[in-house]
């Protein structure tokens, strides 16, 4: 979106669905070394997929899709859903713990490989308007609060924070493609 509008070069190295573990592997393999060596600024949005890989199976089991955002338990495999829900809290706790470990290592590697300023974004709750399934909305917000605290508490001198979460509160329907079950920001 910024191409041709500025006098700087923007390299978008994002990979859809990438987790912090996968980014860490790519950083350790030197995949981004050349770009980092010349970067004045590095902006990173990472960790959301660490959480989503635990949540999307439940949304799918509930039969919620881009075409159907309403909860209808008549077609739900209750045993599968209960199995997924029963481990969700522990799965998210494990994911958050691993994300914190990865984040520390990612920020160390980035600071070793670039003289540029490193920014890491907080995450917004893309499900804030799913009022029909408030337990998912509240549970998601609770875990995103934990995630964002990890980002904030580990910044110290390693990176600066872009508080995307605060900017998106109450605006996720208009700023994302969540109506299509796509959590990513739109062009707005």
């Amino acid at each position: 979106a910024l191409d041709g509008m500025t006098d700087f070069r923007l390299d978008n190295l994002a990979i859809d669905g990438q987790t912090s573990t996968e980014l860490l592997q790519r950083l350790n393999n030197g995949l981004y070394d050349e770009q980092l060596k010349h970067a004045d600024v590095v902006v990173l949005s990472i960790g959301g997929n660490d959480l989503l890989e635990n949540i999307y199976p439940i949304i799918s089991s509930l039969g919620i899709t881009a075409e159907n955002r309403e909860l209808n338990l008549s077609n739900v495999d209750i045993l599968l859903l209960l199995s997924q829900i029963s481990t969700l809290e522990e799965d998210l706790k494990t994911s958050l713990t691993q994300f914190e470990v990865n984040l520390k290592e990612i920020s160390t590697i980035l600071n070793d490989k670039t003289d540029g300023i490193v920014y890491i974004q907080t995450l917004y709750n893309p499900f804030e308007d799913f009022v029909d399934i408030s337990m998912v909305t509240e549970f998601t917000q609770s875990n995103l609060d934990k995630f964002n605290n990890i980002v904030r508490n580990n910044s110290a001198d390693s990176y600066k924070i872009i508080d995307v979460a605060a900017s998106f509160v109450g605006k996720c329907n208009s700023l994302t493609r969540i109506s299509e079950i796509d959590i990513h920001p739109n062009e707005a």
Side-chain angles (χ1 to χ4, degrees), residues 112-166:
D112 287 346
K113 294 187 177 200
T114 186
D115 291 328
I117 301 169
V118 177
Y119 291 90
I120 298 184
Q121 299 177 0
T122 58
L123 296 180
Y124 54 88
N125 184 356
F127 304 110
E128 71 179 7
D129 288 331
F130 279 52
V131 293
D132 292 340
I133 48 173
S134 62
M135 71 173 191
V136 171
T137 305
E138 292 164 12
F139 187 72
T140 303
Q141 187 60 54
S142 170
N143 282 283
L144 284 171
D145 289 344
K146 293 173 189 172
F147 175 95
N148 288 332
N149 284 333
I150 290 169
V151 171
R152 289 182 188 101
N153 294 338
N154 286 286
S155 64
D157 296 325
S158 301
Y159 55 86
K160 296 182 183 296
I161 298 168
I162 299 174
D163 195 1
V164 174

Side-chain angles (χ1 to χ4, degrees), residues 74-91:
S74 64
N75 296 322
V76 173
D77 180 340
I78 297 296
L79 292 178
L80 174 63
L81 181 61
L82 289 174
S83 169
Q84 292 169 324
I85 290 173
S86 71
T87 63
L88 180 61
E89 190 164 349
E90 190 60 36
D91 293 344

Side-chain angles (χ1 to χ4, degrees), residues 54-72:
N54 297 295
I55 295 169
Y56 270 154
I58 292 173
I59 291 172
S60 177
S61 291
L62 288 169
I64 298 171
T65 65
E67 296 77 34
N68 177 26
R69 285 182 46 183
E70 294 186 20
L71 183 59
N72 179 354

Side-chain angles (χ1 to χ4, degrees), residues 82-117:
L82 289 174
S83 169
Q84 292 169 324
I85 290 173
S86 71
T87 63
L88 180 61
E89 190 164 349
E90 190 60 36
D91 293 344
L92 285 169
K93 183 178 178 183
T94 300
S95 292
L96 286 166
T97 300
Q98 186 61 52
F99 170 71
E100 184 165 19
V101 169
N102 292 348
L103 179 63
K104 290 175 182 179
E105 192 168 343
I106 287 167
S107 65
T108 297
I109 292 170
L110 288 175
N111 283 293
D112 287 346
K113 294 187 177 200
T114 186
D115 291 328
I117 301 169

Side-chain angles (χ1 to χ4, degrees), residues 30-42:
L31 187 63
Y32 306 122
D33 284 359
E34 194 61 28
Q35 290 93 340
L36 289 170
K37 183 168 51 171
H38 300 289
D40 294 319
V41 175
V42 176

